[in-house]
Amino acid sequence: MSAEANIRTLTIDEVDVSARADQTILEAAREHNIEIPTLCHLEGLSEVGACRLCLVQVKGARRLLPACVTRVEEGMEVTTHSPRIDRYRTMVLELFFAERNHVCSVCVANGNCELQTLALRLGMTHVEMPYQYPQLPVDASHPRFTVDHNRCVLCTRCVRVCGEIEGANTWGVMGRGAQSLVITDLKEPWGESETCTSCGKCVQVCPTGALFEKSRAGMRAQKHPEFLPYLRIMREGEQQ
Amino acid sequence: MNAEELQQLAAEARDERPQFDYEVNVCMGTGCLSQHSDRVKNALEKEAEISGRKCHVRRTGCMGLCAAGPMVLVEPAETRYGHVHEGDAQEIVASLGGDPVARLDPQLRGYFEGQKHVVLENSGHIDPEKIEEYIARDGYEALVKAVTEMSPGQVIEQIMKSGLRGRGGGGYPTGLKWDTVAKVKGAQKYVICNGDEGDPGAFMDRSVLESDPQRVIEGMAIAAYAIGAAKGYIYVRAEYPLAVQRLTVALQQARRRGLLGSGICETTFNFDIDIRLGAGAFVCGEETALIASIEGKRGTPRPRPPYPAVSGLWGAPTLINNVETFANVAPILRHGGEWFSSMGTARSKGTKVFALTGKIQRTGLVEVPMGMTLRQIIFGIGGGVPDGRKFKAVQTGGPSGGCLPEEHLDLSISYDALISAGSMMGSGGMIVMDDTSCMVSVARFFMEFCMTESCGKCVPCRAGTVQMYELLTRITKGVATHRDLDRLTDLCEVVGATSLCGLGQTAPNPVLSTLRYFRHEYLAHIDEKRCPAGVCEIGTGHPADSAEVTVAGEVHV
């Protein structure tokens, strides 16, 4: 196949863009500085399409499509913002806030939280839905890190980074529905996990204060997930 | 086995029948077994032996009318008895050849007239654990014909012509699905049978698997031939132990007869089937979650595309159909696609099995041609609402469907008509409700089901169903406001539009359909603090009743 055949042209928010055929709408949009909100997506990890914040309207499609997993197609007409989509996103964010105990003022990630940033950016000033106030455990058994399920959004970035990049597969998900929890090994305390290498990648990719390094809060708790694409490229280079 | 051997086997099995003057079939499906039909069968066998008459007592699968279990069918007189006990055995055997036992004949004919049995043609007539009896009734003729006389393309053409659509609920054209998988290139392809029937009140697939498992196996083998697969899986709920046991026996027998395995019908076609047990998650009926479950992963759906037809089980092209869909395949090939498409409506062909339950005289399985009206099924076949109560609504499509009121009783059943009325075909559950049912409580029941069965992967379904359930609870408690109703409507829209898989996308349907047809009941709860059906225990207006739930305040972050 010639190089030209691999290029697709489409419009995103009425801007003409071109992208490789294997790129997603999200990648194409970000390359052209068109912002689509995301939470479970992280460059360097596989996509799960779970947070539903990147839903966009594609002309001719029956439903809204997640931009993170939808490949570009020739002549596609994508709308990333409309009153309807924006309203859905705000409500989805509210659902996130209301389902667990997201109280920014007392959170270690205050100021460094992707959920908080999204709320600010999408103009979600308050939560109309009743908070669920679930009673969830905090596991501080690991010498360096803590998991606080009250702040977890179940994006599974920790599960994916541990399996895909570190290769330890320490993290997993148990339970279903609102009872889902991320767990280490077979729900052993994190500090007693035999597979955890204490690499801390899960902490760096966690979008909220659910996973954090002990004795670091506020400005000192900045996370650095930007190492992932670099690691991935280096690993793939080694394999070739 | 080749065509001649199959015919010989069928002839042998048929020759056995004239040795008996009478056949007494006893239903040994889950429903009748729970009423001790096994004891009835033993008693009948004993009496037949004592009487010395040429009478064959046979174990069969479901005869349909589960409400009258245990059921007994006497051939060739075609007399059906209901509520049979061990003590009735002697009278039944004595009456053979004469008048039926009047005491035991509770006018069951009305239930069976008007039905058209294609999927259930053998149910209640053959022993599900004897492949010979299936073969005697033209079983495996279609597979042998397909493999020896037809090309895969010709098989698909017949399925396309038949107009068969997926019986699991979605109604996707089966022929088109087969054609897609056949065209995708892949060294290894798979056929999966979805037997993870989980809708409350639905038991069609269980009955088919218990009564006629060979039919499903034959349908899968034909599909495998058509798309070029060598391996199949039947995914059955572990809650169906009898279906699993009969399937296991059926698979062994099919292998022994050379109808599964390598070199089927002395051709190069190989195909075998394994059983996989579901561990009790409703969401595993969703095809991508089911595939993940077979792979040994957590049963959660993933975004489509890629569809399983392109990338399914272990990344290979995969055909996945429902039990009832596969059960329709063999008759279509035997009689031709035109025969099948001559039944039903313009866009919904053939017959459909429904599980009639709820407030209805005759609970059980019915198979009717598409296009029959709800009234004919509920009042004609089902005998209407018992105890002189008034019909209120019928719920179709399980937790993804909706409730249809009396004015829709004359709706002809088809995929499209049900969807435009705000419900859906679903897998075929049909729950009838009378005036003692509160529609808000019904909506709340289904929402609770969706909430507890949500896999938790995407947030609208995981958290949205919880919020909707709480709002519905507030309404049933009589403490809701109009603002709550608006919020419920908003949530229905968001959860339906943004959820990842069908479970979340259709979870609002029971609420939306009851809001559409029974809005006055919601308003009665909210404005008058009254439950019209008298089901909800609405508080006495005591301040303590409402205090805990009225603080749906706004939390600043």
Side-chain angles (χ1 to χ4, degrees), chain B residues 507-527:
Chain B
N509 283 359
V511 181
L512 289 171
S513 70
T514 48
L515 270 174
R516 181 168 159 189
Y517 297 117
F518 300 95
R519 195 176 184 86
H520 53 277
E521 290 201 18
Y522 282 81
L523 294 177
H525 284 81
I526 294 170
D527 293 331

Side-chain angles (χ1 to χ4, degrees), chain B residues 226-237:
Chain B
I227 64 156
K231 179 83 199 167
Y233 291 94
I234 303 184
Y235 190 89
V236 200
R237 314 176 58 178

